[in-house]
Amino acid sequence: MSERQKNAVQPSVFIGTEPEEGEQESRLLLRFAAPRDPVMVAEWVSWNVIDTEKQDWARGWSKLKAFAKREGHARVPYGHKEGAYPLGQWVAEQRRAYSAGQMTGKRAERLEQLGMVWSVADERFQENLEAARAYYEVHWTLCAPRTATALDRPVGQWLSNLRRPGALDGHPTWKAALEEIDEHWNPDWSADWQRHYAALRELVGEEDQADVLPGITVHGMDVGKWLARQRQHTVWQGLMAKQRELLQGIGVVPLPPEQKAPTEALKGGSGAFGGVSRPSRSTRPAPALWGPSVDPTSKSCRTAPRSSSECS
């Protein structure tokens, strides 16, 4: 090499993708004091001495981190951009790489720390699960009617679909998440029976609650009438063992054969709950139980049967 070549100062060369307008420069600056063979430089990059792929991934992760911090989740729509950066496409590519087994465990862990959901199905499940949780807080059961909604989502239809045989095959974590909210979300008996039981369970949890007689309604359900039917000897014998166990757990006792259920409040221990003390438990605020139009402290609504329009 000539003396002139040795003393020549070569221009600096950026390595990586040129930033978009308005973005900061994050590329590596490559500078040699003497001319270098382009083929050798390319090999050098391929040997990870300078790894532009790592830079690009770190840039995408940084954009996702900013998105997650701002939005509170990492569910990025496919067409979303952070500035000029196509973050939605980058997230979709990370899901593809993860599904294909082409992602390192370290990268997967870093993405999961930001709340990354690996499949679209899992993402939708989590969104619907939040709606189901909101429904449970009000109704105390996930056996919602098909028309039920929560958080502007058709949670009743969604839960009904999941209760179909085989609907959760291959999704054990989904099943566990639902059972964590309500262990009886998919009972062996009818969802309607479970809805009435859940309402009764919360109703009798109220302190000094009198016998639940026909006409006492909760969320539009005549819980008193339902209870009177469950206590009938023939109906009680037709219940599954677990159903009887649930009723007995809140103090409900069946009637002797040929005895009819009472239609008015009885003294002593001969009512629906016998001499069994009611369970002491924490319940949600009374307004959620009785509805906004009824004063839950009104003795008339708590101790005597009322029409659906008065105490529903």
Side-chain angles (χ1 to χ4, degrees):
M1 181 179 297
S2 66
E3 191 67 27
R4 182 178 181 180
Q5 287 179 313
K6 291 182 180 179
N7 295 331
V9 177
Q10 302 299 315
S12 301
V13 179
F14 282 106
I15 300 298
T17 305
E18 182 178 356
E20 301 288 344
E21 183 178 354
E23 294 186 339
Q24 294 183 348
E25 177 65 73
S26 61
R27 295 175 294 172
L28 293 177
L29 190 62
L30 181 65
R31 183 171 182 175
F32 293 106
R36 291 292 184 267
D37 182 0
V39 175
M40 183 195 72
V41 174
E43 290 178 347
W44 191 9
V45 172
S46 68
W47 292 339
N48 293 324
V49 175
I50 302 173
D51 193 336
T52 57
E53 191 275 337
K54 287 184 178 179
Q55 280 189 302
D56 290 341
W57 193 91
R59 184 181 180 192
W61 183 87
S62 178
K63 295 293 184 182
L64 180 60
K65 181 180 180 181
F67 176 92
K69 183 177 181 180
R70 182 181 68 248
E71 302 295 333
H73 61 81
R75 301 187 297 272
V76 186
Y78 182 79
H80 178 76
K81 292 185 177 181
E82 284 289 295
Y85 188 81
L87 180 60
Q89 296 179 25
W90 183 84
V91 168
E93 175 59 24
Q94 304 314 303
R95 288 197 180 108
R96 185 206 62 77
Y98 181 85
S99 299
Q102 298 173 347
M103 178 177 289
T104 65
K106 183 64 176 178
R107 285 188 176 182
E109 181 181 350
R110 293 186 66 188
L111 288 171
E112 288 170 353
Q113 289 174 350
L114 298 181
M116 182 71 165
V117 178
W118 294 115
S119 74
V120 175
D122 283 337
E123 180 178 352
R124 290 174 180 170
F125 176 84
Q126 292 299 329
E127 292 173 350
N128 285 320
L129 186 68
E130 285 303 309
R133 185 176 284 108
Y135 180 89
Y136 182 88
E137 287 299 314
V138 176
H139 298 272
W140 321 299
T141 178
L142 289 187
C143 286
R146 291 185 180 182
T147 56
T149 61
L151 304 183
D152 296 323
R153 289 183 173 273
V155 66
Q157 185 62 61
W158 179 69
L159 288 164
S160 178
N161 291 340
L162 292 182
R163 280 193 286 268
R164 292 180 303 171
L168 291 180
D169 289 352
H171 298 287
T173 57
W174 292 7
K175 182 179 179 182
L178 290 164
E179 290 177 345
E180 184 177 353
I181 299 174
D182 180 5
E183 62 176 318
H184 299 300
W185 77 275
N186 186 22
D188 293 331
W189 46 88
S190 73
D192 181 72
W193 191 96
Q194 187 64 25
R195 283 195 295 273
H196 281 79
Y197 164 76
L200 175 65
R201 181 190 64 209
E202 296 300 319
L203 189 61
V204 301
E206 292 285 308
E207 294 183 4
D208 300 324
Q209 177 63 45
D211 287 343
V212 181
L213 301 172
I216 297 295
T217 63
V218 179
H219 295 310
M221 298 180 292
D222 192 330
V223 179
K225 182 179 179 180
W226 177 85
L227 172 59
R229 175 171 172 74
Q230 305 310 306
R231 295 186 64 214
Q232 293 176 11
H233 179 75
T234 54
V235 175
W236 183 274
Q237 294 302 316
L239 296 176
M240 294 184 180
K242 184 60 179 179
Q243 289 175 290
R244 293 196 293 267
E245 180 183 331
L246 289 173
L247 290 172
Q248 289 170 336
I250 58 175
V252 176
V253 294
L255 292 171
E258 307 304 326
Q259 181 178 334
K260 294 183 179 180
T263 58
E264 59 183 19
L266 300 178
K267 297 181 180 180
S270 58
F273 303 96
V276 181
S277 60
R278 298 177 182 85
S280 174
R281 52 178 294 158
S282 174
T283 59
R284 294 168 182 76
L289 178 65
W290 294 98
S293 62
V294 178
D295 179 5
T297 64
S298 171
K299 186 174 182 180
S300 63
C301 280
R302 294 171 59 86
T303 61
R306 313 292 288 180
S307 67
S308 176
S309 61
E310 292 176 312
C311 295
S312 59

